[in-house]
Amino acid sequence: MTKQRAAALAIALALVVAGKTYYRHASADELSWLMAPTARCVSVVTGGHFARAASVGWIDRDAGVGIVPACAGLHFLLCALLVLLAAAWPRIARS
């Protein structure tokens, strides 16, 4: 394994571990940066109306649906990072 590949792998794994640690201890208010864009997109697509509920997340009371920390999307984001690394793996220097 080249130094570039080792560095890329180490950075990706450190980001995943840091992200999962942050996510495990984060409140709904701390994950608002991730849930707010999701709520806006879902509102645009479905025509629903999500409102921020302190310490809970984003709720559409009419539809009975919520975007809460358990489904905030951080795991998806971390998986996407690993897929990006896997796709770039052949291009990372081989010397």
Side-chain angles (χ1 to χ4, degrees):
M1 182 178 304
T2 66
K3 288 181 183 179
Q4 291 87 353
R5 283 186 171 187
L9 185 59
I11 290 169
L13 290 177
L15 286 171
V16 168
V17 169
K20 288 187 73 64
T21 300
Y22 167 75
Y23 184 66
R24 183 178 315 141
H25 301 290
S27 68
D29 295 330
E30 292 169 329
L31 290 171
S32 185
W33 64 272
L34 185 59
M35 293 188 291
T38 303
R40 283 192 294 273
C41 288
V42 173
S43 292
V44 167
V45 171
T46 65
H49 176 70
F50 283 86
R52 189 167 181 270
S55 301
V56 175
W58 293 80
I59 307 292
D60 183 341
R61 295 193 192 283
D62 295 334
V65 176
I67 299 172
V68 298
C71 63
L74 189 61
H75 286 130
F76 178 79
L77 182 64
L78 295 173
C79 286
L81 171 70
L82 293 177
V83 168
L84 181 63
L85 175 66
W89 195 254
R91 293 178 193 86
I92 298 174
R94 296 177 185 241
S95 51

